Amino acid sequence: METYKDSIMIALLPIQTDWSTLELPHVTLVYAGKVSDHKPGEFNELAKDAGSLAMMNNRLSLDVLGIEKFGNEEEPVDVLTLRPKPELMAMRRFVEGWNQSEHKTFRPHATIGPHPSMIGTLPIRLVFDRIGVYWGEDSIVFRLG
C-alpha cells in the first residue's frame, strides 16, 4: 500500500480541523503520483504552481453537502463531500496537468478518517486559508491571498 511518504499532492488546508481524525486534514487539489516517478527538480515547479494559486486566490469557503464512504472495502474512509465553487474548479484546472490519480473526475471532499469515524457535529462549511505542496516528507505551505 502506498503511504503519504511516497506521495505528491497540492492540497487546501482548512482553518478548523476538529471534524477530522487525520494528522493533516486537507482537500486534495491534485494528486501528482509517487515521489519515485518524478525528478527532484519538479518539486520546484509544483511549488511555483501552488505559490501562484496562493497569490491569485483569497480564503475559500466550501459548503459541506454530507458524509460519504470512499475507498475500497478493505480500507474505507469517511469523507465530507463539498459543493464545488467556480474558484475551486479554477484552482483545480490550473494544476490538473499534474494529475496522476486513477480517479479522473474531481469530486471535492475532505477525509474525516477511517470508516466509521465521524465525531461531533457535522460542519456546515469548511474554510481554507492555506495551500500546501507535499512531496513525500517534504512540504511547503503558502497563505491564500
Side-chain angles (χ1 to χ4, degrees), residues 3-17:
T3 66
Y4 72 92
K5 293 178 183 181
D6 304 322
S7 298
I8 301 169
M9 72 171 173
I10 296 177
L12 293 173
L13 305 175
I15 293 173
Q16 187 174 350
T17 62

Side-chain angles (χ1 to χ4, degrees), residues 95-122:
V95 296
E96 205 159 34
W98 290 101
N99 189 33
Q100 297 294 314
S101 174
E102 62 187 47
H103 308 289
K104 298 304 177 191
T105 302
F106 180 57
R107 287 192 63 204
H109 66 278
T111 303
I112 300 168
H115 177 76
S117 60
M118 183 61 203
I119 52 175
T121 307
L122 180 71

Side-chain angles (χ1 to χ4, degrees), residues 7-29:
S7 298
I8 301 169
M9 72 171 173
I10 296 177
L12 293 173
L13 305 175
I15 293 173
Q16 187 174 350
T17 62
D18 59 348
W19 48 267
S20 179
T21 62
L22 299 182
E23 186 178 319
L24 179 66
H26 66 276
V27 169
T28 303
L29 271 179

Side-chain angles (χ1 to χ4, degrees), residues 54-66:
M55 287 188 295
M56 294 186 295
N57 290 278
N58 293 314
R59 183 181 287 193
L60 181 65
S61 174
L62 299 174
D63 293 335
V64 173
L65 298 174

Side-chain angles (χ1 to χ4, degrees), residues 28-82:
T28 303
L29 271 179
V30 70
Y31 167 74
K34 296 180 181 182
V35 171
S36 59
D37 294 338
H38 291 272
K39 297 174 185 167
E42 289 180 286
F43 177 79
N44 293 334
E45 296 303 313
L46 202 63
K48 285 179 189 176
D49 285 351
S52 294
L53 283 175
M55 287 188 295
M56 294 186 295
N57 290 278
N58 293 314
R59 183 181 287 193
L60 181 65
S61 174
L62 299 174
D63 293 335
V64 173
L65 298 174
I67 298 176
E68 287 188 38
K69 186 167 70 170
F70 278 23
N72 57 40
E73 291 195 23
E74 295 85 39
E75 297 179 296
V77 294
D78 288 337
V79 303
L80 297 174
T81 54
L82 304 168

